[in-house]
Amino acid sequence: MENINDIKSCNMMAEISEQPAVFDYLINKYIKDGKADAEFPLNFGEVKFVASGSSYNCARLGQKFFENIAKLKTSFEYSSEFNANQDRAISKDVLYFFISQSGETYDTKCALDLVNKKGGHTFALVNNDNSYIYNTCEFKMNIEAGVEKSIAATKSFTGGVLCLGLLALNAAQNNGIDIKEHLKDIENIKKDTECVINDTKNLDEAAGILSKLKSFPIIGYSYNFVIAKEGALKIKETSYIDVNAYPTGEFLHGHTAILNEYSVIVEIFHHSMGEFEKKTLDKIKKDYNPKIIAISDIEDTPDDKDFLEIKFKKFNNEIITMLSSVMILQILALKIAKNLGRNVDKPLGLNKVVGEN
C-alpha cells in the first residue's frame, strides 16, 4: 500500500491532503436535511462561465452540472478570449459567472469590468473574499479552501468544483427537480476522499513510467475529458512534460499517430462508461498496443502486462467519483515531479496570474 505521506513534505502535498476536510466543510455548510442551501440566484435562463487556467477547467465541469442537473443553458469562455471581443452584447437575461482561485486574476478582472460596464449580472466564485472579483460581483460564493501557497491549484480547484455542484443542485431544487439521487452518500465525502488519497495503489509505478517520457496523452469521455485537461495542466506546471488531453473518441481522428513514438497512454474511465467508449478503447489497443495506465473504479480489468491500473473505490455519488479522479491526477503529477527533482511549489517561470486593476 502506498501513501502520499512518503513524499517529502511540500505545500502541494499538504494542500492535496487538506481537500477532504474542505469538502466536508462545504457539505456540512450547504446540505441541510436533504436540501441544497447554496444560494443560486433565480430568474436567469442562461449561465456563462468566464475563467482562465484551472478555473476554466472548473467552469467546464460546472457547465456539465448546470446542464445535466439543473437543466440550465450554459456556455463557457476563456477570460482572455472574452476580453478580445469588446463589442459583444451583454444580455441581462444571462448570469455571467467569474471563477478565480485568487479573486485577482488579471484577465478575469478585465472581463468582469467589461460586463459591469454594460450593466450585466455577475457572480463570483473565488477562494478569497478579500479580493477584487469577490467584492465587485453582484452575487458571490467563497470556496473557503484556505490559503493555497503552491502555484499549482489543488484544493481551490476541487473546492470550486464542489461549490459549482452545490449551486447547480440548488438551482435544480428551485426549479422543482428532485435532487435526492445526486445527494446519495454525499455525507461520506470526507471518509471516501481520504481513502482515495491514502490507499490508491500503483501511483509510484505509474509515476516512474511517465517521468521517463518527454510527452504522453491523457484521454477521457465527457467530464473525464475535462478532468484529463486539468491533470495535463498539473503535470505541465510541475514537471514541464508536454502532456495533452483529448476526448477519447476524438483521439482516434489523427491524434493516435503520436503513439507511434510514445506508446504510453493515460486513460480515465469509470463504471458508467458505455459500449461506444469500450469499443473506442479496444480499437486503440488493437491498432497501437500502447502501455495503458488507467485511472478507474472498474472491478474487472485486463490481466495484461501492458495494463497498469490506478484503481480507486467505486462510489455511488458522481461528484465524489469526479473529485477522486482529480485528486489521483494531482498526486500523480506530484510524484512525477518529485522523480524529476522539480520544485513543485515554485515551478520555473510560473506565478499566479494576478495584476493591478
Side-chain angles (χ1 to χ4, degrees):
M1 183 179 296
E2 297 161 0
N3 192 301
I4 191 173
N5 293 320
D6 64 7
I7 303 173
K8 186 179 177 181
S9 180
C10 61
N11 289 329
M12 185 177 176
M13 185 202 77
E15 288 159 6
I16 288 172
S17 299
E18 289 166 8
Q19 290 173 108
V22 172
F23 304 154
D24 190 53
Y25 176 83
L26 291 169
I27 292 300
N28 286 326
K29 181 172 182 177
Y30 292 114
I31 300 297
K32 306 287 187 185
D33 300 321
K35 293 185 178 180
D37 285 347
E39 293 186 11
F40 187 79
L42 300 173
N43 303 321
F44 290 101
E46 180 179 348
V47 178
K48 185 171 187 64
F49 294 101
V50 183
S52 307
S54 282
S55 293
Y56 178 81
N57 294 332
C58 181
R60 290 286 305 271
L61 292 174
Q63 180 238 0
K64 294 186 180 298
F65 291 144
F66 278 91
E67 285 195 345
N68 296 343
I69 299 175
K71 311 303 180 186
L72 279 175
K73 181 181 178 182
T74 61
S75 59
F76 46 87
E77 193 168 355
Y78 286 109
S79 302
S80 55
E81 291 296 309
F82 192 92
N83 290 320
N85 184 3
Q86 294 284 318
D87 295 327
R88 75 171 64 239
I90 299 299
S91 171
K92 293 193 175 182
D93 294 327
V94 175
L95 182 62
Y96 295 87
F97 208 114
F98 298 89
I99 306 176
S100 164
Q101 279 94 30
S102 67
E104 299 288 349
T105 308
Y106 179 68
D107 49 3
T108 306
K109 288 165 64 176
C110 292
L112 169 59
D113 288 343
L114 178 60
V115 174
N116 277 334
K117 183 179 179 181
K118 296 187 177 183
H121 296 286
T122 59
F123 193 113
L125 178 64
V126 303
N127 193 40
N128 178 7
D129 60 8
N130 185 28
S131 63
Y132 183 85
I133 293 174
Y134 187 88
N135 290 319
T136 305
C137 280
E138 180 180 0
F139 307 102
K140 57 202 71 179
M141 185 176 187
N142 188 349
I143 297 169
E144 300 188 84
V147 175
E148 193 168 58
K149 296 180 180 179
S150 181
I151 292 293
T154 53
K155 62 179 181 175
S156 63
F157 174 81
T158 51
V161 170
L162 181 54
C163 285
L164 289 177
L166 293 169
L167 287 166
L169 287 169
N170 180 259
Q173 181 180 275
N174 290 340
N175 288 328
I177 298 171
D178 188 349
I179 64 170
K180 288 179 183 176
E181 188 63 27
H182 297 288
L183 295 178
K184 198 172 184 180
D185 295 332
I186 197 73
E187 70 277 2
N188 297 324
I189 194 167
K190 185 174 187 289
K191 180 183 69 175
D192 287 341
T193 51
E194 283 176 340
C195 174
V196 170
I197 290 175
N198 293 320
D199 299 337
T200 301
K201 298 179 180 179
N202 293 330
L203 278 162
D204 282 334
E205 186 177 350
I209 294 167
L210 297 173
S211 61
K212 294 180 175 69
L213 302 176
K214 293 181 180 179
S215 178
F216 61 87
I218 307 179
I219 65 173
Y221 264 107
S222 187
Y223 66 73
N224 283 336
F225 165 56
V226 183
I227 292 171
K229 283 174 63 68
E230 175 62 15
L233 178 59
K234 288 283 110 36
I235 296 168
K236 283 179 182 176
E237 287 178 321
T238 55
S239 295
Y240 325 141
I241 296 175
D242 184 19
V243 185
N244 293 290
Y246 306 89
T248 302
E250 182 62 22
F251 190 62
L252 292 175
H253 297 280
H255 303 293
T256 47
I258 64 175
L259 295 178
N260 287 311
E261 184 172 1
Y262 302 111
S263 195
V264 178
I265 188 168
V266 178
E267 298 176 355
I268 307 171
F269 58 88
H270 299 151
H271 64 273
S272 59
M273 74 174 180
E275 285 303 313
F276 183 77
E277 181 175 5
K278 293 176 184 176
K279 288 178 181 178
T280 302
L281 296 176
D282 288 343
K283 179 169 176 53
I284 293 171
K285 182 68 175 172
K286 178 184 175 190
D287 291 349
Y288 291 91
N289 196 32
K291 174 84 175 180
I292 294 174
I293 297 174
I295 299 171
S296 175
D297 64 355
I298 294 176
E299 293 294 333
D300 298 320
T301 52
D303 183 12
D304 186 337
K305 64 181 178 60
D306 289 324
F307 186 91
L308 177 64
E309 185 181 23
I310 302 173
K311 185 176 179 180
F312 63 96
K313 179 182 174 183
K314 177 182 173 182
F315 300 115
N316 292 321
N317 186 281
E318 187 176 54
I319 293 177
I320 297 178
T321 299
M322 184 183 295
L323 294 173
S324 297
S325 298
V326 174
M327 292 190 298
I328 287 170
L329 282 164
Q330 292 171 350
I331 299 168
L332 184 60
L334 176 55
K335 285 179 175 284
I336 293 170
K338 286 296 184 179
N339 283 351
L340 295 170
R342 311 299 194 207
N343 183 341
V344 294
D345 289 334
K346 296 182 179 179
L348 292 172
L350 292 181
N351 294 289
K352 295 286 188 183
V353 184
V354 297
E356 296 299 325
N357 184 57

